[in-house]
Amino acid sequence: GTVTYVEPSYSSGSSSDPTYSVSTPSKTEHGTVTVSPKNASKGDTVTVTVKPDSGYVLETGTDSYAYVSLDSTKAVKLDASSRGEVSKSGKKLELKAVSGKLFFNVTAPVKEDESLNIRTSTMVTGVRGTAGWVEVVDRSASRIHLLEGTLTVTAAEPSTGELRRTVITGGQTVTAAVNGASRPGQQASLTVTELREEDVPAFVAVELAKDAALQEKVAKNSPLSVEEIIRGAEDRLRGEQAAAAAAERALRDQLGGGSGVDQVFPDRRD
């Protein structure tokens, strides 16, 4: 859906910043879209929460983020320049991270008759009450970084279908990679490393900063320093946004400059 705002009216003696009314379309297909707050002034952050129907794709631009509400205890946030797919069958949910990064926070254990799987091109994990984020490095590698809780991560050997599994806990990262140059049967790997506070991206740090319950869980169930992670999170986020915008402008200038883009296959005029 499209988020719109209503232009405010001004009085001649008013010196305060105008307040805008933020609204969503009255009719939204393939899911729901909500905004908070419904009124905002210049500089305010407006959160758009999307609850998509099964089978639909979510994609963010260089200066936007998407919150996905799966239910009251399962929340997902897509980083800028990210893409994800949602599928649902009964009480079974699956999120596929296609590109970029995806933050997840399951605040209550998933019930026995429910499931929430997060999948990439190189691995899958079942989330039952944890928080962390998924990072798609490229087509042959992806990572899961865990803030708190425990996850079992599974990767499949491409040539044989043999499954490889490893378990990570809060404060750890697992990298699932497929090396096509290796011998058949030895192409898939799962590598566990320690997660450092400086590794936590700003789009995750700001979520931790505003969630006291999650801060308590991370402090209790991982070796990570919550204070160090959230320090200056908003400033770091603005810095990342500015850097991404500058990179996008530079790319546009590069593509738009000169006499045009070279053609690999020149026009044929018979």
Side-chain angles (χ1 to χ4, degrees):
T2 303
V3 179
T4 60
Y5 69 86
V6 177
E7 189 73 31
S9 58
Y10 298 86
S11 60
S12 58
S14 174
S15 60
S16 59
D17 289 336
T19 298
Y20 298 84
S21 175
V22 185
S23 63
T24 60
S26 58
K27 189 175 182 180
T28 305
E29 297 181 345
H30 313 308
T32 61
V33 180
T34 59
V35 295
S36 177
K38 295 186 181 297
N39 295 285
S41 300
K42 181 180 179 180
D44 289 348
T45 297
V46 177
T47 299
V48 181
T49 302
V50 180
K51 191 171 184 179
D53 290 340
S54 177
Y56 284 88
V57 175
L58 298 169
E59 189 168 358
T60 55
T62 56
D63 58 353
S64 62
Y65 306 88
Y67 289 82
V68 185
S69 174
L70 301 176
D71 62 29
S72 61
T73 64
K74 305 178 189 70
V76 172
K77 176 186 179 183
L78 268 70
D79 191 14
S81 303
S82 298
R83 181 183 174 95
E85 299 176 2
V86 180
S87 60
K88 182 177 181 181
S89 176
K91 294 184 178 181
K92 300 183 184 300
L93 279 167
E94 181 170 285
L95 294 171
K96 183 178 181 182
V98 179
S99 62
K101 301 183 184 74
L102 182 154
F103 168 73
F104 59 89
N105 184 16
V106 180
T107 58
V110 175
K111 297 177 181 178
E112 289 298 324
D113 62 340
E114 298 178 337
S115 67
L116 171 58
N117 289 339
I118 295 179
R119 182 183 297 275
T120 71
S121 60
T122 59
M123 65 181 166
V124 63
T125 185
V127 180
R128 303 202 66 82
T130 55
W133 74 99
V134 181
E135 174 189 2
V136 178
V137 180
D138 53 36
R139 293 178 60 185
S140 60
S142 55
R143 299 187 180 102
I144 292 185
H145 311 266
L146 198 58
L147 293 173
E148 66 91 16
T150 302
L151 282 180
T152 299
V153 180
T154 303
E157 185 65 37
S159 58
T160 65
E162 177 187 357
L163 298 180
R164 304 185 186 278
R165 292 187 176 89
T166 192
V167 176
I168 60 171
T169 57
Q172 291 185 317
T173 292
V174 60
T175 300
V178 175
N179 184 357
S182 298
R183 289 186 302 170
Q186 299 180 3
Q187 294 177 327
S189 64
L190 290 169
T191 306
V192 178
T193 55
E194 298 302 310
L195 176 62
R196 302 170 301 174
E197 288 82 1
E198 58 265 34
D199 297 330
V200 181
F203 94 103
V204 173
V206 294
E207 297 305 311
L208 181 60
K210 63 187 181 184
D211 190 333
L214 181 55
Q215 290 180 33
E216 185 176 348
K217 288 181 180 179
V218 173
K220 182 179 179 180
N221 302 318
S222 84
L224 295 168
S225 168
V226 172
E227 182 179 354
E228 189 173 339
I229 292 173
I230 66 177
R231 185 186 300 124
E234 289 288 351
D235 290 338
R236 287 197 290 125
L237 186 64
R238 284 191 286 269
E240 289 180 4
Q241 291 170 335
E248 184 180 30
R249 286 195 300 271
L251 180 60
R252 287 178 177 175
D253 291 344
Q254 182 181 3
L255 294 177
S259 59
V261 179
D262 292 338
Q263 290 179 273
V264 177
F265 297 102
D267 292 334
R268 297 184 60 182
R269 302 181 186 277
D270 295 327

